[in-house]
């Protein structure tokens, strides 16, 4: 057995029933996942949702012993042991959280009932090595941006938004930017020096033959949508969707499609595991 890490992750727990572990991406905190998933689970009772902050992000510490993605994954393994134990659970990961989720699936394939990946990192963690589309804003609102008193909010939102509306701005501020402000930049720089897992997916993936979902944005100029197609041989039960008019924050730019596809995935997992949806 590997030694336990010295990190206790901050997390939010909601509901009861089948556990669902939701992992946010690089730099934000648990509010990214809570914001997009709670509307889904409001329509599907019977799930115990666990939203941790990854080490160095949100309110979770990252001491010097956390110096790589493998260390982050070890902390998540401890978190699963402490909060879920041996109980089967669903796993949802966004961006870097999707990369870590693939590592968890490799370690706990028999325990994971189903896997959902939202704008996941593909085979290349470094953005410079990824195949991504050119930056596009398909639904601009310059008047909205000009009306903002907060220059940083305006700039951060403008840098990534494909859909610029009052609702996407509000959700970006509350679910994403709020977490960015808490990140331990020194710890994240340390982790990023050893960003790839020792058993780098997909080489260590093998095949995960339970219901899966891979959502990508057609205008995602961060993770892209091309490289994720290469994941499909490792997930033979995966629905793979490329959503138009959606960037790296597709969950707030195409919320209706996001909800529908995630609900359908939950139904597939429930049918496969014998659980009522």
């Amino acid at each position: 057995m590997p030694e336990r890490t010295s990190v206790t992750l901050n997390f939010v727990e909601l509901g009861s029933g089948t556990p669902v572990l939701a992992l946010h991406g690089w730099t934000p905190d648990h509010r990214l996942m809570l914001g997009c998933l709670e509307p889904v689970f409001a329509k599907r009772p019977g799930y115990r949702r666990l939203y941790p902050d990854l080490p160095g992000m949100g309110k979770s510490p990252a001491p010097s012993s956390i110096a790589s993605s493998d260390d982050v994954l070890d902390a998540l393994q401890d978190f699963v042991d402490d909060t879920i134990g041996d109980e089967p659970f669903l796993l949802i990961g966004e961006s870097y959280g999707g990369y870590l989720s693939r590592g968890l699936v490799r370690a706990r394939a028999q325990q994971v009932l189903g896997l959902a990946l939202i704008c996941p990192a593909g085979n290349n963690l470094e953005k410079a090595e990824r195949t991504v589309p050119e930056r596009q804003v398909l639904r601009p609102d310059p008047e909205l941006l000009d009306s903002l008193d907060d220059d940083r909010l305006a700039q951060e939102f403008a840098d990534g938004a494909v859909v610029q509306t009052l609702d996407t701005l509000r959700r970006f501020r509350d679910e994403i930017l709020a977490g960015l402000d808490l990140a331990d930049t020194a710890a994240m720089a340390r982790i990023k020096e050893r960003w790839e897992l020792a058993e780098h997916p997909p080489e260590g993936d093998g095949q995960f033959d339970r219901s899966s979902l891979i959502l990508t944005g057609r205008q995602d100029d961060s993770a892209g949508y091309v490289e994720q197609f290469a994941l499909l041989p490792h997930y033979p039960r995966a629905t793979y969707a490329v959503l138009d008019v959606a960037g790296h924050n597709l969950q707030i730019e195409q919320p209706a499609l996001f909800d529908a596809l995630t609900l359908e995935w939950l139904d597939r997992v429930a049918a496969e595991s014998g659980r009522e949806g």
Side-chain angles (χ1 to χ4, degrees), residues 92-93 98-99 101-102 115-120 213-215 231 235:
I92 306 173
Y99 179 69
S101 294
R102 291 162 58 200
L115 174 68
L117 303 174
I118 307 164
C119 298
L213 175 66
I214 303 173
L215 297 178
L231 304 181
Y235 304 96

Side-chain angles (χ1 to χ4, degrees), residues 11 13 19 21 48 50 76 78-85 87:
F11 70 102
E13 177 178 346
L21 177 59
R48 175 188 174 217
L50 298 165
L76 285 172
D78 291 344
F79 180 81
V80 172
D81 288 339
D82 293 341
T83 60
I84 299 175
E87 189 176 356

Side-chain angles (χ1 to χ4, degrees), residues 241-260:
V242 184
L243 308 188
D244 188 31
V245 196
H248 198 56
N249 296 320
L250 68 78
Q251 73 279 4
I252 67 175
E253 295 181 327
Q254 287 285 9
L257 279 174
F258 175 82
D259 288 4

Side-chain angles (χ1 to χ4, degrees), residues 150-269:
D150 187 332
D151 292 340
R152 178 168 177 255
L153 171 60
Q155 187 62 56
E156 294 274 4
F157 179 65
D159 283 348
V162 173
V163 177
Q164 297 176 353
T165 65
L166 186 60
D167 191 54
T168 56
L169 173 67
R170 175 189 59 79
R171 292 190 62 182
F172 175 81
R173 179 196 64 205
D174 296 344
E175 299 172 21
I176 299 172
L177 187 62
L180 300 183
D181 291 337
L182 298 180
D184 182 340
T185 55
M188 299 189 71
R190 181 175 65 246
I191 295 167
K192 199 168 184 179
E193 290 180 3
R194 295 166 60 195
W195 218 14
E196 289 191 2
L197 294 168
E199 292 187 66
H200 179 55
E203 291 82 356
D205 274 350
Q207 281 195 340
F208 178 68
D209 60 0
R210 294 181 176 177
S211 296
S212 303
L213 175 66
I214 303 173
L215 297 178
T216 64
R218 187 66 175 81
Q219 288 79 35
D220 184 349
D221 65 336
S222 177
Y225 64 90
V226 173
E227 295 184 12
Q228 292 81 354
F229 191 77
L231 304 181
L232 291 183
H234 303 280
Y235 304 96
R237 297 290 312 285
T239 291
Y240 171 76
V242 184
L243 308 188
D244 188 31
V245 196
H248 198 56
N249 296 320
L250 68 78
Q251 73 279 4
I252 67 175
E253 295 181 327
Q254 287 285 9
L257 279 174
F258 175 82
D259 288 4
L261 288 164
T262 305
L263 285 166
E264 190 278 335
W265 168 70
L266 288 174
D267 290 344
R268 281 191 288 133
V269 175

Side-chain angles (χ1 to χ4, degrees), residues 18-22 41 47-48 84 87-92 111-116 265-267 269-270 273 275:
T18 303
V20 180
L21 177 59
F41 287 107
Y47 292 92
R48 175 188 174 217
I84 299 175
E87 189 176 356
F89 67 97
L90 284 73
L91 183 56
I92 306 173
Q111 189 179 0
V112 177
L113 292 171
L115 174 68
W265 168 70
L266 288 174
D267 290 344
V269 175
S273 62
R275 182 192 182 283

Side-chain angles (χ1 to χ4, degrees), residues 63-84:
S64 58
S65 59
I66 302 295
S68 68
S69 287
D70 284 295
D71 295 331
V72 173
L73 185 59
D74 287 344
L76 285 172
Q77 293 270 39
D78 291 344
F79 180 81
V80 172
D81 288 339
D82 293 341
T83 60
I84 299 175

